[in-house]
């Protein structure tokens, strides 16, 4: 048996004015994690939520809050997000080339799970030292669209990176994010991804539970053969 399937609806596609009930709805539909996209309007040309929203949501749920930091200075977010009750803290390698060791240590010291993400144009080799180093990350998030916005088209060429990672690290959590849904899950699952972020395909479906269950099934079918 390989790694566990984790289906993480991206709350970016939810109705932010009803975040707590939208989160509960996703959990009731079978979500494992809630994916929280934190953007600073600088690393990406969009601005979303920050620690105060995570803190508010935490008062309503015990769920694993999988925070994806699309920010230029992730170090500045460690303390506030730790206090707010974030569970996972995934930073981008493109802005952390000089300080990822310190970043990972600080994330862990605040009780969060460290992860690293990379944009479609960033070579996979860049994250190997972070998986193998003295202060290893526990998840790699391979972006399958350019970060910044929900509802974009899945980029199949990013699957080479997922395949390379899975071959090298059979028990690593590998997350994919962007354009995932019933029509793209097979590519991601067969490449070896086990943590699936999906926003528009889940929130936009008439039956969100069915989409979540289909994606879980595909990941489990592949992972049971590892
Ligand atoms: O990080 C991001 C976008 O930058 C994602 O988490 C999106 O929110 C996923 O949305 P869909 O592509 O599934 O609609
Ligand atoms: Fe994301």
């Amino acid at each position: 048996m390989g790694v566990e399937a984790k289906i993480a609806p991206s709350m970016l596609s939810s109705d932010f004015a009803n975040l707590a009930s939208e989160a509960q709805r996703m959990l009731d539909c079978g979500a494992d994690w809630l994916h929280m996209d934190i953007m600073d309007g600088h690393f990406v040309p969009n601005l979303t939520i920050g620690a105060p929203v995570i803190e508010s949501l935490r008062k309503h749920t015990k769920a694993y809050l999988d925070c994806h930091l699309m920010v230029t200075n992730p170090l500045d977010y460690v303390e506030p997000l730790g206090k707010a009750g974030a569970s996972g803290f995934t930073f981008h390698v493109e802005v952390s080339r000089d300080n990822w060791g310190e970043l990972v240590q600080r994330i862990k010291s605040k009780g969060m799970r460290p992860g690293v993400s990379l944009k479609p144009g960033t070579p996979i080799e860049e994250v190997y030292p972070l998986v193998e180093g003295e202060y290893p990350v526990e998840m790699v998030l391979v972006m399958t669209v350019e970060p910044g916005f929900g509802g974009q088209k899945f980029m199949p060429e990013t699957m080479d990176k997922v395949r390379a990672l899975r071959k090298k690290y059979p028990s690593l959590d590998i997350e994919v994010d962007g354009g995932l849904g019933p029509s793209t899950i097979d590519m991601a699952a067969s490449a070896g991804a086990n943590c699936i972020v999906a926003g528009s395909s889940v929130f936009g479906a008439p039956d969100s539970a069915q989409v979540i269950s289909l994606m879980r099934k595909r990941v489990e079918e592949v992972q049971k053969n590892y």
Side-chain angles (χ1 to χ4, degrees), residues 11-222:
M11 299 309 292
L12 187 59
S13 291
S14 73
D15 173 6
F16 274 180
N18 292 295
L19 190 57
S21 60
E22 289 279 81
Q24 190 54 51
R25 183 165 71 86
M26 287 301 122
L27 296 167
D28 293 343
C29 283
D32 301 287
W33 292 353
L34 300 173
H35 184 81
M36 309 301 295
D37 287 303
I38 296 175
M39 306 184 190
D40 65 355
H42 186 263
F43 179 69
V44 289
N46 194 8
L47 195 56
T48 53
I49 59 163
V53 174
I54 300 293
E55 191 179 346
S56 297
L57 182 59
R58 178 51 82 210
K59 292 185 182 128
H60 297 268
T61 184
K62 291 188 166 63
Y64 186 97
L65 300 179
D66 174 39
C67 296
H68 175 195
L69 279 286
M70 285 161 276
V71 303
T72 301
N73 296 307
L75 209 45
D76 295 347
Y77 290 72
V78 176
E79 172 97 31
L81 276 176
K83 268 200 194 130
S87 312
F89 186 113
T90 300
F91 57 88
H92 268 264
V93 71
E94 297 85 2
V95 289
S96 314
R97 290 179 174 118
D98 301 329
N99 67 348
W100 57 264
E102 184 191 359
L103 196 47
V104 170
Q105 284 184 76
R106 299 259 287 261
I107 293 166
K108 289 185 92 157
S109 78
K110 296 292 164 199
M112 296 178 287
R113 195 164 176 254
V116 68
S117 180
L118 71 171
K119 299 207 264 186
T122 303
I124 193 61
E125 291 75 18
E126 283 212 24
V127 304
Y128 294 161
L130 284 77
V131 180
E132 294 169 11
E134 197 180 341
Y135 306 108
V137 293
E138 295 174 29
M139 182 173 82
V140 175
L141 162 51
V142 175
M143 285 306 294
T144 46
V145 297
E146 287 299 336
F149 300 91
Q152 302 182 74
K153 200 168 167 288
F154 178 80
M155 298 167 71
E157 61 272 30
T158 58
M159 291 301 97
D160 287 347
K161 291 197 255 188
V162 174
R163 266 187 290 275
L165 272 179
R166 181 54 76 217
K167 193 165 172 219
K168 208 164 155 61
Y169 309 113
S171 59
L172 179 70
D173 271 340
I174 303 175
E175 188 170 60
V176 283
D177 183 8
L180 271 305
S183 59
T184 50
I185 186 64
D186 284 350
M187 284 186 268
S190 62
N194 65 301
C195 304
I196 312 295
V197 177
S200 42
S201 69
V202 169
F203 282 91
D207 187 346
S208 302
Q210 194 185 37
V211 175
I212 290 174
S213 139
L214 180 149
M215 293 197 289
R216 178 190 309 293
K217 216 194 264 165
R218 294 286 187 268
V219 172
E220 286 175 353
E221 277 164 10
V222 171

